[in-house]
Amino acid sequence: MSTVTPFLMFEGRAEEAMNYYISLMEDSKVISMTRYGANEAGKEGSVMLATFSLKGQNIMCIDSYAQHAFTFTPSFSLYVTCDTEEEIDRLYEALQAGGSILMPLGDYSFSKKFGWVSDQFGVSWQLTLPH
């Protein structure tokens, strides 16, 4: 086995989500992106397959051309260990905007500051600032 990579499936918002995420975190970038062309299964110009990096963690994403009866679930989340209080506050505010709060940002026994949100795209994020 070479790697294990999180894979996010969107229905038309993959590029928007990917660009939003990399705008929030330093040392993050789009690594590669292939788009659907004319006469291919997906909507022309939408993301057939993309890989992006958030602080060194590669994540893959697509725009599914098939409609599904499911979406993201909080039981799978991206877990981010923050370096500063300013960073966790900024990420928490940005990621919860247009989404929902699953656990409010606060001091918990397992973390000096922790928050869990579902973002505007439905992706779940756990943010922690260790003791």
Side-chain angles (χ1 to χ4, degrees):
M1 180 183 329
S2 297
T3 61
V4 174
T5 306
F7 191 97
L8 304 174
M9 183 182 70
F10 297 90
E11 291 182 354
R13 298 184 73 190
E15 186 171 10
E16 179 186 1
M18 176 177 55
N19 286 331
Y20 182 64
Y21 300 149
I22 64 174
S23 76
L24 295 177
M25 298 184 198
E26 293 179 14
D27 303 321
S28 300
K29 62 184 177 185
V30 175
I31 296 170
S32 65
M33 184 166 29
T34 305
R35 299 178 186 278
Y36 287 106
N39 303 315
E40 292 186 313
K43 179 181 174 188
E44 185 174 359
S46 65
V47 177
M48 180 186 288
L49 179 64
T51 302
F52 61 103
S53 173
L54 297 179
K55 294 190 142 295
Q57 173 63 57
N58 286 356
I59 300 171
M60 298 171 71
C61 67
I62 63 168
D63 277 322
S64 175
Y65 58 86
Q67 296 293 310
H68 300 281
F70 56 85
T71 185
F72 298 108
T73 171
S75 66
F76 179 86
S77 58
L78 297 174
Y79 193 89
V80 180
T81 302
C82 298
D83 294 323
T84 66
E85 193 156 349
E86 293 79 19
E87 181 181 35
I88 194 169
D89 291 343
R90 181 181 56 78
L91 288 175
Y92 181 85
E93 286 305 313
L95 290 168
Q96 65 85 29
S100 61
I101 296 170
L102 303 173
M103 281 181 75
L105 194 60
D107 184 352
Y108 295 89
S109 62
F110 55 85
S111 176
K112 176 180 176 182
K113 201 167 198 180
F114 177 86
W116 192 351
V117 299
S118 179
D119 70 22
Q120 63 185 314
F121 305 103
V123 176
S124 176
W125 298 80
Q126 293 187 62
L127 308 171
T128 189
L129 182 63
H131 287 286

